[in-house]
Amino acid sequence: MFTTDTCCTLVPYFEIHEGQFAAFKALGPKFVERTSTENGCIHYAFSFSGNTAHCREGYIDAEAVLAHLQNVDELLGEALKIAKIIRLEVHGPATEIEKLKAPMASLNPLFFVLEPGIRRASEA
């Protein structure tokens, strides 16, 4: 069974300041714990390559993205003291992207509009 795909993914990459890798990595579990309370989160985790961190995150729709950003605002502020966002992508259907453009403008993301496809209604 397939369903209409309203999923939005955030694709941020952080460049961690020299000497701050351990401090940034220590924030990961705090982000995960905070995000685990969000009903609209599909997946959320950090991965690392050298001094670059990526947060793999997906949400059921634009409203869930905005709720997440509000929920982690304080932690993101801490992260941005020891790292900088070097690239931020937002992927989602056009209707969901339109809901995110104005609220996310200050983060200067690249918006990618998802073409129609398929999404399983439940995990196999």
Side-chain angles (χ1 to χ4, degrees):
M1 287 274 183
F2 295 98
T3 187
T4 302
D5 192 357
T6 58
C7 178
C8 295
T9 54
L10 296 183
V11 187
Y13 290 89
F14 298 86
E15 182 178 84
I16 303 166
H17 301 325
E18 190 165 332
Q20 297 297 320
F21 185 81
F24 188 94
K25 199 163 184 182
L27 287 173
K30 294 177 182 180
F31 274 102
V32 170
E33 181 180 354
R34 179 82 51 92
T35 303
S36 70
T37 65
E38 300 171 12
N39 292 330
C41 182
I42 298 169
H43 58 82
Y44 190 90
F46 282 89
S47 56
F48 297 88
S49 178
N51 72 331
T52 301
H54 165 63
C55 187
R56 179 179 172 262
E57 47 189 306
Y59 304 90
I60 60 171
D61 57 20
E63 288 80 9
V65 169
L66 296 174
H68 167 72
L69 292 173
Q70 184 175 17
N71 187 34
V72 300
D73 185 60
E74 178 185 335
L75 286 172
L76 182 58
E78 289 182 44
L80 293 177
K81 292 176 184 172
I82 57 176
K84 67 178 179 178
I85 296 174
I86 55 174
R87 183 175 177 93
L88 174 59
E89 301 172 6
V90 180
H91 299 251
T95 55
E96 300 303 307
I97 292 292
E98 285 306 313
K99 297 173 191 175
L100 296 171
K101 283 184 176 178
M104 292 188 70
S106 66
L107 295 172
N108 197 31
L110 296 169
F111 290 101
F112 289 80
V113 176
L114 183 67
E115 291 294 313
I118 59 173
R119 182 175 185 88
R120 293 214 179 273
S122 62
E123 298 292 323

